[in-house]
Every structure is written in structure tokens, then in C-alpha cells.
Amino acid sequence: MKSVFITYDQAHHDAVADILKSSLCRGYTLLRDVGGCGTSTGEPHLGSHAWPAMNEAVITVVDDQRVEPLLARLRKLDVDNPLLGLRAFVWNIEQSI
């Protein structure tokens, strides 16, 4: 099992939800109004007067074989919309209940 943590501009919400559904990632946790700043490009998303945009984040736990197809769909969304920003990180899940 792997955990996939996805952060993205709020404008990506519907597209990310569709990607999760089409990737058969039914269970996930949505975190709304997440602030942040990319490591090399893009503007901060801080919900402030100067930087009003915000992000969202999703964390999902999936079987290992679902990770690469999910990342490929997310990568395409990011490449097709380079100014919005999207990142995904994968961690091993050691145990769950």
C-alpha cells in the first residue's frame, strides 16, 4: 500500500476528483484552504490580500499498482496547466487499521 499526497491550486478541484475516480481511488481525505508556496516556480497561495489564491490537498491510500497510473494522470494535468501548480508525493504505508 502507498499513500499519495496531492497538493494543487483550488481551480484543479474537479479535475483531481475526476482523476481519483477514474483511477479507482475511492477513499481519500480532502483538505481545503491549504496555503503554500512552490519550491522553484509559481506564486504563493496564502489566502492573503497580497496572495489571495489558495490550494487544496488530498491524501489517499492505494494499492501499489494504482500509483503509477494515478501519477501519470496527475502529471498530465500539471503539464497541461503549468501556471496553476500541482505536486504529488508517495509514501509507503507500513500498517493500517
Side-chain angles (χ1 to χ4, degrees):
M1 300 287 286
K2 303 286 187 190
S3 172
V4 183
F5 180 69
I6 309 159
T7 61
Y8 52 90
D9 186 291
Q10 286 177 326
H12 278 317
H13 175 79
D14 290 341
V16 171
D18 288 345
I19 288 169
L20 289 168
K21 184 176 180 179
S22 67
S23 299
L24 304 176
C25 300
R26 185 177 182 279
Y28 62 86
T29 298
L30 172 65
L31 306 167
R32 294 193 182 270
D33 295 330
V34 177
C37 182
T39 55
S40 58
T41 62
E43 296 180 349
H45 288 66
L46 302 174
S48 67
H49 179 71
W51 304 106
M54 289 298 291
N55 293 321
E56 291 183 355
V58 166
I59 189 163
T60 185
V61 176
V62 299
D63 292 327
D64 291 6
Q65 69 269 15
R66 295 199 195 282
V67 172
E68 285 306 319
L70 173 61
L71 292 180
R73 289 179 176 108
L74 293 169
R75 190 174 297 112
K76 181 175 181 348
L77 178 61
D78 185 44
V79 167
D80 290 348
N81 302 276
L83 297 178
L84 291 180
L86 183 149
R87 296 292 178 264
F89 306 91
V90 180
W91 294 290
N92 289 320
I93 297 298
E94 301 295 328
Q95 294 182 352
S96 66
I97 59 167

